[in-house]
Amino acid sequence: MPHRWAGRREKILDGKERKQSMSKTIAVTVWNEFRHEKTDEAVRKVYPDGIHAAIADSLGTQEGIEARTATLDEPDHGLTEEVLRATDVLTWWGHMAHQEVADEVVERVRRRVLEGMGLIVLHSAHFSKIFRSMMGTNCSLRWREAGEKERLWNIEPGHPITEGIGEHFELPHVEMYGERFDIPTPDKLVFISWFQGGEVFRSGCCWERGHGRIFYFRPGHETFPIFRDENVRKVLTNAVRWAAPRVQLPDDCPNVDPLEPLR
Amino acid sequence: MPHRWAGRREKILDGKERKQSMSKTIAVTVWNEFRHEKTDEAVRKVYPDGIHAAIADSLGTQEGIEARTATLDEPDHGLTEEVLRATDVLTWWGHMAHQEVADEVVERVRRRVLEGMGLIVLHSAHFSKIFRSMMGTNCSLRWREAGEKERLWNIEPGHPITEGIGEHFELPHVEMYGERFDIPTPDKLVFISWFQGGEVFRSGCCWERGHGRIFYFRPGHETFPIFRDENVRKVLTNAVRWAAPRVQLPDDCPNVDPLEPLR
Amino acid sequence: MPHRWAGRREKILDGKERKQSMSKTIAVTVWNEFRHEKTDEAVRKVYPDGIHAAIADSLGTQEGIEARTATLDEPDHGLTEEVLRATDVLTWWGHMAHQEVADEVVERVRRRVLEGMGLIVLHSAHFSKIFRSMMGTNCSLRWREAGEKERLWNIEPGHPITEGIGEHFELPHVEMYGERFDIPTPDKLVFISWFQGGEVFRSGCCWERGHGRIFYFRPGHETFPIFRDENVRKVLTNAVRWAAPRVQLPDDCPNVDPLEPLR
Amino acid sequence: MPHRWAGRREKILDGKERKQSMSKTIAVTVWNEFRHEKTDEAVRKVYPDGIHAAIADSLGTQEGIEARTATLDEPDHGLTEEVLRATDVLTWWGHMAHQEVADEVVERVRRRVLEGMGLIVLHSAHFSKIFRSMMGTNCSLRWREAGEKERLWNIEPGHPITEGIGEHFELPHVEMYGERFDIPTPDKLVFISWFQGGEVFRSGCCWERGHGRIFYFRPGHETFPIFRDENVRKVLTNAVRWAAPRVQLPDDCPNVDPLEPLR
């Protein structure tokens, strides 16, 4: 009894097609819900043009990276099929309005990641619909806002994401996230954080889902200038390069003929 | 700026409580969409009382296992909060009516798995909402219905799920599923299938999500008597025992005080 | 051109044989190099009969566990073929005399682990020949002896090794081990440590190699009474149960006949 | 009580140093035991200059790759400290003389891999000392020499090693290797083989150990012209690029001062 999926065959690009299909310049779309910057004076002071602007400004100056932005209140949250089609890597910041992101847009993003687009999930976006739907878990954690010190330990000095980062780096004032972080075991764990208040956290986690790569990076906050920190910026730049698509393959569930005789 | 989640602390059971909270007998709920058995004569011949009855009959005779059934057309698909609360391991068969399963019930099942309930996903249920939502991927594959031979190779002879299974076992007539199977890399791969027509498949895959265990098992069909095969029955029994809850922990995202002084 | 290995076929035990081949009581051999206890007054004060005695005394009182000891200066380091054949789980403490352990004995232990025996590696035994040979890596780390506080975070509350352990536990005075710990990515990471001096560490790591299970557990020291701590003892008891053999299979590289006709 | 390792601190290269320390051209050393080519007429016919020459000829014509060779009967097996220091990726073929490789050279190679050098292990080298010592397992398997057909399924079309390879490729006449392959679970499994005689095999396996990358690739034989096959050559070229060092870090186990005050 056949499934109801059409029998299209998966298309594998050969080397040349691959390179052509992937622009040399990595096109990043920096997404932000862009809400507390509008309503909260303390946030506006740190990020007058929004967190997305700060991230895009930093990424956009990097060689081989081109960054634009999209926000929740734009039509389709700024993430139309067309925009996503032209996006190599999507970075995601959300905090207070996760529930306002339309399921349809989440599904559109998820499909693109499975086809090969990179996804970088920042700080409080651990609770975003897109991250939770790609992980399959709750993505819960312990937290505290006390402006304490964090030290991120680099446990994979050979990984592209930690290029140029030493044995560890510090952030003087952060919101704390502590274990247990409810995620599937990462394919690769690159940072573990130490917090002054006594907790630890898996702060840099890599996964592959479908043909896409996903990186969760813990640092970030709306009133601490985390996205102006040089090490954080370096990690984000590295993560964008790491998550850039290696292939772009639509989903397919083909009904196929045998390759060998069935006696 | 605080999250909006209440600050309940995660409750960890100590050894004694754990054992008490988990009944000695493993309570299995065998779920079936139970559709083609009603409409298709060929299916009815093989499974006159439905696939669920065949699976539950087999599991129910095993020591320490107690099996009941639930089907799509019951209220709440037979999967109320109460039923799930009393379920240690849920087995899932679906094929032609995946889209009719209510999102609310899927979410209820998913939450229970993350709390610790086991989930066993059978054959065509690779495309079920519950499996796809827990994997985060499309779960697509190649397929063919030609009644060919399958040989499952046991690549983890020490794993509880392969207990009593030799180096390999055969099924004379099956629907073929071939790679690439679009799933996250399994935590443990226990069976790889060889097909007469020339394909291979990761046929027994284990994952942990939250506190629950998930096993995908490829064999199964509505017109081949796969669920009457002795090796298949042995694997299902083993899988139920492997997936039985070790803990039951509700989701939680607590706001916590520091454990060390913040100077 | 044939390999030179004899063509014995791998023997898979069926369920009943498995259970018979594995004694109901788990036989643990607690190994200790037993050197600094003899020469260092400070060590002798904490462990007058040696670290092995303290560990064996604790394990031996647990239901279903039977513990004996073996030490470096016994013939064959107390680890003859006969002893290993009768051992279900081996725990290993070494510190100053790793190089004195005979390669032949290391190879004998390694072979038994690959056949199914459990191995629990304690603290400074990260640099033991047996651990390094099973990991394939250097197993280096950062360290400091300052008697500081350690807090171990339980990141897998559903794992058998953390049964009865809460969200975290503390050790008031320890030698610090910090990242980067040069190990293969663990199959399962169950504890991450926070140290007062600012470091973190993957303190409870699980691997499977061949048919055996390996657990590395960081806590332990020769002058701090770590092995008298209630939580440490609970973890060791749990780890012994987790690592108990599920199967016992000798190595084999058989030359086999085809299962299908080769036209 | 201190360890006896000197307290050198690990040196992390910054981005610029990394790039400088890694030559733009990837320097490959193709190692071959080079024995049956000398004594066996059938082998000489297929590989008159040795298997190493065939592999090096193919790799050496690829853009950005420079290949030289080394063989067992050269002094130090052609693998002096100097040669290894100048090698980015080492490919390894051995079959009948694994035991003649000096332990000292194996240890030298292993140390270099852990520092960052890539290692590609071919076919019968599953039983080489270097592969077994890096895996920690026996690396046994089932085998048969009957000249049957093999089909390799590409299960990671987005992985750099499968670039330009379609859904699958075939080798008309091969020696069969079948499961269970006694290896640690690969970090990434990229090929699964189907054999005419009824077996399956994990034919393309990736691991990271220390800072180095390891790829095991099943195809290869001394009397079948496998290394002249276009797909095999493509995979080897891709594997060399994938395994090229990203960093070069000597082993270190530093005694460190606290980063935070110890009250």
Side-chain angles (χ1 to χ4, degrees), chain A residues 134-135 155-156 159 183-191 202 204-216 242 246, chain B residues 135 137 180 183-187 207 209, chain C residues 183-188 202, chain D residues 156 159 185-189 206-209 213:
Chain A
M134 301 219 65
M135 294 293 106
I155 67 168
E156 292 294 341
H159 196 283
I183 47 171
T185 296
D187 294 344
K188 208 74 187 178
L189 174 61
V190 298
F191 290 112
R202 289 171 288 175
C205 300
C206 302
W207 295 269
E208 293 190 13
R209 289 295 182 267
H211 305 296
R213 287 179 152 178
I214 302 171
F215 182 58
Y216 175 79
W242 171 82
R246 300 155 307 161
Chain B
M135 295 291 106
T137 58
R180 182 177 184 252
I183 47 171
T185 296
D187 295 343
W207 295 269
R209 289 295 181 269
Chain C
I183 46 170
T185 297
D187 295 343
K188 207 77 190 174
R202 287 172 289 175
Chain D
E156 292 293 342
H159 196 282
T185 297
D187 294 344
K188 208 74 188 176
L189 175 61
C206 304
W207 294 270
E208 293 191 13
R209 289 295 181 269
R213 288 179 151 177

Side-chain angles (χ1 to χ4, degrees), chain C residues 29-38 40 42-59 67-71 91-96 120-125 175 219-228 232-233 236, chain D residues 1:
Chain C
T29 300
V30 176
W31 195 87
N32 181 10
E33 66 178 34
F34 196 27
R35 284 285 170 85
H36 33 44
E37 294 96 329
K38 293 172 180 169
D40 188 316
V43 180
R44 196 156 41 220
K45 253 191 199 153
V46 185
Y47 296 112
D49 303 315
I51 285 175
H52 54 300
I55 295 173
D57 284 356
S58 162
L59 287 175
R68 65 195 127 172
T69 63
T71 56
T91 73
W92 196 276
W93 168 274
H95 184 217
M96 51 191 284
I120 296 172
V121 177
L122 299 169
H123 188 67
S124 49
E175 180 184 357
H221 197 254
E222 64 278 10
T223 58
F224 300 121
I226 308 281
F227 292 118
R228 305 204 185 286
V232 168
R233 291 182 161 203
L236 288 185
Chain D
M1 195 165 291

Side-chain angles (χ1 to χ4, degrees), chain B residues 4-20:
Chain B
R4 293 160 309 147
W5 283 268
R8 294 164 303 130
R9 297 198 78 155
E10 208 170 284
K11 188 173 163 250
I12 309 281
L13 308 171
D14 76 18
K16 230 176 294 176
E17 287 173 308
R18 274 193 198 215
K19 262 145 207 156
Q20 287 168 352

Side-chain angles (χ1 to χ4, degrees), chain C residues 188-249:
Chain C
K188 207 77 190 174
L189 175 60
V190 298
F191 290 112
I192 298 178
S193 286
W194 175 99
F195 291 95
Q196 197 177 359
E199 282 87 357
V200 297
F201 198 71
R202 287 172 289 175
S203 283
C205 300
C206 303
W207 295 269
E208 294 190 12
R209 288 295 181 269
H211 306 296
R213 287 178 152 179
I214 302 171
F215 182 58
Y216 175 80
F217 191 44
R218 199 209 81 79
H221 197 254
E222 64 278 10
T223 58
F224 300 121
I226 308 281
F227 292 118
R228 305 204 185 286
D229 178 86
E230 193 193 354
N231 282 304
V232 168
R233 291 182 161 203
K234 211 179 281 180
V235 170
L236 288 185
T237 301
N238 291 341
V240 161
R241 291 193 174 120
W242 171 81
R246 299 155 307 160
V247 80
Q248 179 171 320
L249 289 170

